[in-house]
Amino acid sequence: MLTTPEKIRILQRKLYRKAKQEPTYRFYALYDKVFRADILSHAYTLVRANKGSAGIDGVTFEAIEEREGVSAFLAELQEALRSKTYQASPVKRVMIPKTDGTERPLGIPTIRDRVAQMAVKLVIEPIFEADFCECSYGFRPKKSAHDAVDDVAYTLNKGYTEIIDADLSKYFDTIPHAKLMAVVAERISDGEILHLIKTWLKAPVIEKGRDGKQRNIGGGKGNRKGTPQGGVISPLLANLYLHLLDRIWERHRLEKKLGARLVRFADDFVVLCRQGTEQPMAITKRVLDKLGLTLNEAKSRVVDAMKEGFTFLGFELQKRKNWRTGKSYPHVQPSKKSLKKIKDHITALTSRNRSPLPFEAIVKEVNTALIGWTGYFHYRNCSRVLKQVREHAQFRLRIHLYRRHKIRDRKTGLKRYTNSMLYERYGLYKVPTTAVWR
């Protein structure tokens, strides 16, 4: 975890306090903070730590550090920002496969643009953080997906068991620029900051075809919607736009009036109800319609959590009865989709066609996948699912060893490659199988 330098922390605290004390105040002198040497240096460190790939210009972190050096790179960016000659480069689009067979577009700005975006984020985030509601958990300092899941579990326990499981259609691609900029301008009147944000929103989007040629497939001055997933500033802007939904819920005290609690993590949100879902659903649709957003009717649904589970942030939640005490409790475990994803990934990593690779490299990749997945899902009522993941990893690695060493008899293989050998000799990561509680 990178520590924010004290001088930047002091600035952020001042901005946060001012915003908290004066909810209608508009900040007008922020741009000169963006090109401060310490802010740009910390911005580079943060972007570097994210380990992202190169943008459309092909420039990597290694290239920057080996050729011109970080100091020269930041000095050039600082001068461009100070002299107001900075221009955003086009965004590189890559398609990321989804589990349902479709693809999700990911927009990757150049490293130079990502550092500039991070510098702006460091300055403006504390202002908006002062405004965000307590039901919002996504992309916020000191808040996490686990906090959002805990909120849902706690609310279920209070009897809010009728669930509106909402899904927005292509949220990042459909945010209207004009309305988004109006929300940003509620708090920021500094024209240069607003100009920078608009520049990033309207950056051309370039995609490389199978023939190797680059094609302009979107963005540009005529573009009126969307913020690229992959941009450093995009999560903050996306969170800020849906803050309007939180604000309506809070200001109109809808939780008390309708018995409906909203819990949101970026564009993933659920509404937990205990007095029926009809009114909360109607209000949600009306607000989203005014924001120019669409509820995905095919994926959004109403669930009775006493009878069936629903998925939120990769977890499946449901009210169940404790077999010992007979008392109901909120059961939270990794979803079937999340389980299938890690199993399929481990299967792919240990497939027959990877036998020519060194076995140590395969174990290392399997361990990386297991550690990452377990780090997130080793939470609440996870024991049974984690046990399945552990057993699958053992089974797949053993099968891989059978093929590698041409062992056809399972009994012989089991004797030769015991579980203890997989862990002690080959170094397989041992997935924990006991639930963890905070």
Side-chain angles (χ1 to χ4, degrees):
M1 188 71 175
L2 292 168
T3 307
T4 307
E6 189 56 29
K7 200 175 174 186
I8 299 174
R9 288 283 299 276
I10 290 168
L11 169 66
Q12 290 176 328
R13 281 193 208 106
K14 284 180 179 176
L15 292 169
Y16 177 85
R17 284 174 188 153
K18 180 72 173 174
K20 203 73 176 171
Q21 287 163 4
E22 299 184 42
T24 58
Y25 185 80
R26 296 178 74 215
F27 292 78
Y28 58 88
L30 298 172
Y31 187 69
D32 61 318
K33 317 289 188 298
V34 170
F35 54 80
R36 262 174 38 177
D38 60 335
I39 286 179
L40 284 174
S41 176
H42 187 52
Y44 180 86
T45 305
L46 291 170
V47 173
R48 182 76 169 89
N50 288 337
K51 300 177 181 177
S53 59
I56 200 71
D57 58 1
V59 177
T60 62
F61 291 105
E62 291 75 20
I64 291 167
E65 288 155 19
E66 287 169 16
R67 293 174 197 165
E68 58 185 313
V70 177
S71 298
F73 170 80
L74 292 177
E76 182 279 322
L77 178 56
Q78 183 182 41
E79 182 51 38
L81 289 166
R82 182 189 282 120
S83 61
K84 299 175 185 176
T85 57
Y86 167 85
Q87 288 186 321
S89 300
V91 173
K92 181 174 81 173
R93 172 172 282 187
V94 294
M95 302 305 288
I96 308 297
K98 292 169 75 175
T99 49
D100 60 2
T102 60
E103 292 183 313
R104 174 171 63 91
L106 187 70
I108 305 172
T110 62
I111 290 173
R112 183 174 181 266
D113 288 339
R114 298 208 297 269
V115 172
Q117 289 183 22
M118 183 64 82
V120 170
K121 183 173 177 277
L122 285 168
V123 174
I124 69 171
E125 187 174 53
I127 296 165
F128 295 114
E129 183 60 28
D131 293 338
F132 286 145
C133 303
E134 53 95 23
C135 68
S136 167
Y137 294 93
F139 310 122
R140 294 182 62 189
K142 298 179 183 178
K143 285 187 180 284
S144 69
H146 288 166
D147 293 330
V149 171
D150 283 344
D151 191 337
V152 173
Y154 177 71
T155 307
L156 278 172
N157 229 11
K158 288 167 66 181
Y160 292 71
T161 55
E162 297 170 89
I163 315 298
I164 298 172
D165 183 6
D167 185 275
L168 292 175
S169 295
K170 298 180 180 177
Y171 174 59
F172 278 80
D173 297 334
T174 56
I175 300 172
H177 291 172
K179 290 181 179 180
L180 172 61
M181 291 307 299
V183 178
V184 176
E186 279 185 12
R187 274 306 210 168
I188 295 172
S189 62
D190 188 321
E192 296 303 327
I193 295 283
L194 296 174
H195 173 71
L196 274 181
I197 294 171
K198 201 176 286 185
T199 299
W200 293 323
L201 289 174
K202 294 193 177 295
V205 179
I206 306 291
E207 188 174 65
K208 189 177 281 188
R210 289 180 183 175
D211 56 3
K213 292 181 180 178
Q214 293 181 351
R215 296 180 181 83
N216 189 325
I217 56 161
K221 289 182 180 178
N223 183 30
R224 299 281 180 269
K225 288 181 179 180
T227 176
Q229 273 182 282
V232 171
I233 200 120
S234 295
L236 175 61
L237 297 177
N239 204 19
L240 180 61
Y241 194 57
L242 268 182
H243 165 64
L244 295 170
L245 175 64
D246 307 340
R247 201 161 72 181
I248 286 168
W249 222 267
E250 192 175 82
R251 287 184 181 175
H252 293 276
R253 299 168 69 209
L254 296 182
E255 183 174 344
K256 192 174 181 181
K257 287 179 182 175
L258 302 179
R261 176 161 180 78
L262 172 70
V263 179
R264 184 174 69 81
F265 189 95
D267 59 324
D268 286 322
F269 69 91
V270 289
V271 183
L272 299 100
C273 313
R274 63 176 179 186
Q275 295 172 21
T277 58
E278 198 174 319
Q279 268 190 290
M281 177 67 95
I283 290 169
T284 302
K285 284 182 177 177
R286 196 156 62 238
V287 172
L288 293 176
D289 188 50
K290 284 186 177 179
L291 294 176
L293 304 172
T294 311
L295 205 61
N296 187 330
E297 299 288 349
K299 291 185 178 178
S300 301
R301 62 193 190 118
V302 174
V303 177
D304 181 352
M306 298 299 289
K307 295 177 181 175
E308 61 177 315
F310 62 97
T311 303
F312 183 56
L313 303 178
F315 289 93
E316 189 176 297
L317 299 96
Q318 185 181 354
K319 280 299 285 285
R320 292 189 184 176
K321 282 194 175 181
N322 186 304
W323 63 274
R324 283 197 192 96
T325 64
K327 289 183 179 179
S328 63
Y329 71 99
H331 186 87
V332 182
Q333 68 179 29
S335 69
K336 292 180 182 70
K337 190 176 175 182
S338 304
L339 175 61
K340 184 180 184 303
K341 193 173 181 181
I342 186 63
K343 278 187 170 183
D344 289 348
H345 188 38
I346 299 301
T347 300
L349 290 176
T350 54
S351 62
R352 186 191 296 270
N353 62 4
R354 304 191 90 227
S355 294
L357 296 173
F359 189 64
E360 295 77 15
I362 287 172
V363 174
K364 189 178 179 182
E365 286 184 52
V366 168
N367 285 351
T368 301
L370 290 173
I371 290 166
W373 192 88
T374 306
Y376 182 71
F377 287 107
H378 187 204
Y379 199 69
R380 297 184 78 103
N381 315 99
C382 60
S383 304
R384 286 183 183 177
V385 177
L386 288 178
K387 189 182 177 188
Q388 288 181 58
V389 173
R390 183 198 277 192
E391 288 173 352
H392 184 73
Q394 291 169 179
F395 171 73
R396 285 301 310 175
L397 214 59
R398 193 177 285 113
I399 289 288
H400 187 83
L401 283 164
Y402 291 174
R403 288 171 181 160
R404 187 175 280 259
H405 299 291
K406 296 180 172 58
I407 295 170
R408 292 181 181 176
D409 181 49
R410 289 272 173 114
K411 272 191 177 181
T412 306
L414 277 169
K415 281 180 184 177
R416 188 180 293 187
Y417 302 113
T418 61
N419 287 343
S420 58
M421 184 175 280
L422 293 176
Y423 293 111
E424 290 162 20
R425 181 175 173 182
Y426 296 112
L428 176 64
Y429 171 71
K430 199 166 192 175
V431 175
T433 56
T434 49
V436 61
W437 293 88
R438 285 199 300 188

